[in-house]
Structure formats: C-alpha cells, structure tokens
Amino acid sequence: MDVTDAEFYNSALVAILPMALCYPGRADSGDAPPRPECAKLWRDRLLQQLPEIELTLLVGTYAQDHVLGGGRMTDRVRNFDAYLPNYLPLPHPSWRSRGWMMRNPWFEEEVLPVVRRRVAQVLRR
C-alpha cells in the first residue's frame, strides 16, 4: 500500500476490521469461513462508530461477499474501478494468493498502482 508504519498503526487513520470477532475453527484448507452471525451482531454497530471512512479495502472473498454481494473475487478485483471511490476489492494476502498473482499479472500492473494512489490520497489529506 506504500504507507509508513506510523501511518498504518495510527488508529486515527487506519482501522482493521475482521469479518468476525470469533475464531471460526479449522477447515481442510486452513481456517473455516467466518460465521455469518458474527458480522451481523457487531459489524454495523462498529462501523457506525467510524463515521469518516473514506476508503474500505475489501480484502478477500468473504469481505467482498458481505459488502458487495455474491460474485467472483477475480472479477471484482479486475473491475475494481466500478467500486471506487469508497471500496477497493483485493485478494487475500495468504500463501495461496501467490498462484493467483502469477495467473493474474494485471493485478500488480493495473490495480496496485491505483491502490497506492487512492490510499495516499486518503491518508495524506
């Protein structure tokens, strides 16, 4: 994202919200999906406490599904500009994303520069 540690860890500038505040347990391929009842219990109430949100990075399929509705993560990331200026759908930065990145070189070439610019715009006003 091209932000400094001071910017990233400044709670007045950046908030990191998981899709669930409870551990969903393990699945065959890693962690199980977030339990849907968890986000319903707390997410909207917490977001109401953050009235000045200018940009939300929707990291991974679960966050994107929750906010944008169903669809393919790759399609949403590829068409990121349809969700600007408020949302930027991104792949989850897990070890599995390495293969996704290799199959989708346009992400680094087209999307990451926009992510860096948009984040800089919001953080450095």
Side-chain angles (χ1 to χ4, degrees):
M1 290 187 316
D2 209 18
V3 299
T4 66
D5 285 351
E7 290 169 325
F8 186 80
Y9 291 106
N10 181 340
S11 61
L13 296 175
V14 175
I16 300 172
L17 285 87
M19 287 310 302
L21 291 176
C22 51
Y23 178 62
R26 301 275 305 155
D28 292 337
S29 60
D31 290 345
R35 293 177 21 203
E37 70 272 16
C38 292
K40 289 177 187 172
L41 288 173
W42 68 269
R43 190 167 170 79
D44 288 340
R45 286 187 282 168
L46 186 55
L47 288 172
Q48 289 171 4
Q49 302 300 311
L50 304 168
E52 297 180 36
I53 296 173
E54 294 182 51
L55 176 64
T56 300
L57 302 178
L58 299 171
V59 180
T61 301
Y62 300 128
Q64 293 170 24
D65 286 350
H66 182 79
V67 174
L68 304 175
R72 291 184 59 232
M73 190 263 312
T74 298
D75 294 338
R76 290 185 290 228
V77 174
R78 180 79 165 151
N79 298 307
F80 68 92
D81 52 344
Y83 307 103
L84 288 172
N86 298 323
Y87 299 109
L88 261 167
L90 300 171
H92 193 281
S94 72
W95 62 269
R96 284 194 215 144
S97 295
R98 206 171 314 202
W100 185 90
M101 297 276 229
M102 291 176 69
R103 289 187 308 277
N104 298 285
W106 51 264
F107 176 74
E108 272 191 77
E109 298 162 6
E110 299 171 26
V111 181
L112 282 184
V114 174
V115 171
R116 290 182 182 113
R117 276 195 306 274
R118 184 71 181 109
V119 168
Q121 287 173 343
V122 170
L123 291 182
R124 298 176 182 127
R125 288 184 191 257

